Structure formats: structure tokens, C-alpha cells
């Protein structure tokens, strides 16, 4: 949390006065910090849970001969990327793992097993998995950085407003402290 403290300015101009924000606890970027938000994560989970079986069914029902695993792998990868963009890291990781398993089970010979008989098919599964997991990590990281930037922008705007108020001669200290406390999410000011 952050606290706002009032100090005074001495005659020699040393910074002993004004309002200042003091960190009382370090701010950490934990794994639980907000990235895309719970609502978007829920949409990501829904897209993965509905999209994977729907894609599998559509690919199996598609007319025509087997086109190899390239088309199927690209479609599953596209779905995993869409899940990453919508829901972030965890739904995308699930979509990547489930997509690799479905791709292997339904489209890589021998069919209806999790065995892989070809080195090319094994490479396809490996590249698919690494790419899907990498995209999920990048999207999640970008969302977290965006949220951090928004928080920093809100803090900068608040500090600028506080400075304008003090420089403009407004010394309603209780109002300024309440505003700073609310902006920085502190318990006390």
C-alpha cells in the first residue's frame, strides 16, 4: 500500500514540506496480478472448451481425402492463439495441450491412439506445442505490461493534479489526502 505524508518546507528550501507518497509495502508483480481480467479469462476457457470439440468435429466431418496433418495442426494452432488472445495464459495452455492430444488422437497415424509412428508427425506436434505455449506466454505478458502502464499513468495523472492543486494555492489537506489515498489504494493517508 502507499501512504501520503505531510511535511513542511524549511527556510533554506530543503524538502521538508508538501505532500509525498510513501510506499509502506513493496509492490510485487505476482502470478496472481491482473492481466486480462477474470471476465476475459472466462471467455477464453469457454472458447477452448467449446472450440476444441467443435473444430475436431468439423475436421472429421469435412469431405475429401486426408490432407496430412499440416492443415489440422494450423487450425488447432489458430484456435490456441485465439484462446490466448481472448483468455490469456492458462486457457491457452489448456487449449495447446488438448489441441496437441486431439491432433495426435484423431489425425496422426495410427489413428485413435496417442502413438506417433512418424518422425515428421512427432516434429509437427512438438512445433505446435512450443508455438502455442509461446504465444500464450507473450499475450499474457503483454496484457500484464499494459495493466502496469495503465496504473502508472493513473498515478502520474494523480500526482500532476495534486501538484497543480498545491501550486494553485489550494491547501484543503483532508481533501487532497483522501484523493491521494483513494487513487493509490492506500488504507491511510
Amino acid at each position: 500500500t502507499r501512504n501520503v505524508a505531510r511535511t513542511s518546507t524549511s527556510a533554506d528550501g530543503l524538502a521538508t514540506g508538501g505532500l509525498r507518497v510513501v510506499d509502506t509495502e513493496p509492490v510485487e508483480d505476482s502470478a496472481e496480478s491482473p492481466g486480462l481480467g477474470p471476465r476475459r479469462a472466462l471467455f477464453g476457457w469457454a472458447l477452448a472448451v467449446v472450440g476444441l470439440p467443435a473444430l475436431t468435429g468439423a475436421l472429421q466431418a469435412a469431405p475429401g481425402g486426408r490432407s496430412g496433418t499440416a492443415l489440422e495442426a494450423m487450425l488447432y494452432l489458430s484456435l490456441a492463439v485465439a484462446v490466448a488472445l481472448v483468455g490469456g495464459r492458462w486457457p491457452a495452455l489448456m487449449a495447446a495441450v488438448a489441441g496437441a492430444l486431439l491432433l495426435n488422437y484423431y489425425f496422426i497415424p495410427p489413428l485413435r491412439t496417442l502413438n506417433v509412428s512418424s518422425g515428421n508427425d512427432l516434429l509437427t506436434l512438438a512445433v505446435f506445442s512450443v508455438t502455442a505455449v509461446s504465444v500464450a506466454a507473450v499475450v499474457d505478458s503483454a496484457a500484464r505490461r499494459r495493466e502496469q502502464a495503465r496504473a502508472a499513468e493513473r498515478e502520474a495523472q494523480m500526482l500532476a493534479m495534486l501538484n497543480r492543486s498545491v501550486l494553485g494555492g489550494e491547501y484543503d489537506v483532508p481533501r487532497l489526502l483522501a484523493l491521494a489515498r483513494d487513487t493509490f489504494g492506500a488504507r491511510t493517508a
Side-chain angles (χ1 to χ4, degrees):
T1 62
R2 295 174 187 232
N3 288 329
V4 178
R6 179 160 174 77
T7 56
S8 60
T9 306
S10 66
D12 59 4
L14 293 176
T16 59
L19 295 174
R20 66 187 167 119
V21 177
V22 180
D23 281 330
T24 57
E25 296 174 10
V27 177
E28 297 178 14
D29 183 26
S30 69
E32 302 296 319
S33 67
L36 293 173
R39 187 176 193 183
R40 284 193 56 188
L42 182 63
F43 286 136
W45 284 109
L47 179 60
V49 168
V50 171
L52 287 166
L55 178 59
T56 303
L59 287 173
Q60 286 187 315
R66 240 180 88 70
S67 61
T69 57
L71 175 63
E72 290 87 356
M74 292 305 294
L75 291 172
Y76 278 107
L77 181 60
S78 296
L79 180 61
V81 169
V83 170
L85 291 171
V86 171
R89 177 185 359 185
W90 297 114
L93 288 175
M94 190 279 295
V97 169
L101 291 172
L102 289 168
L103 182 64
N104 185 12
Y105 190 80
Y106 288 105
F107 302 104
I108 292 180
L111 299 179
R112 307 289 192 269
T113 69
L114 292 178
N115 296 330
V116 179
S117 61
S118 164
N120 284 341
D121 290 336
L122 187 60
L123 182 62
T124 299
L125 286 171
V127 169
F128 168 81
S129 298
V130 167
T131 303
V133 168
S134 298
V135 168
V138 167
V139 169
D140 187 68
S141 176
R144 289 177 191 281
R145 298 265 187 275
R146 185 179 63 241
E147 188 58 36
Q148 290 171 346
R150 285 182 182 159
E153 180 183 9
R154 286 189 301 267
E155 287 182 13
Q157 288 173 349
M158 170 51 124
L159 289 173
M161 193 277 302
L162 286 173
N163 283 335
R164 282 192 304 274
S165 296
V166 171
L167 291 174
E170 293 181 35
Y171 294 105
D172 184 5
V173 175
R175 186 178 68 82
L176 291 174
L177 289 176
L179 186 60
R181 183 191 67 231
D182 294 342
T183 298
F184 295 115
R187 285 180 238 133
T188 61

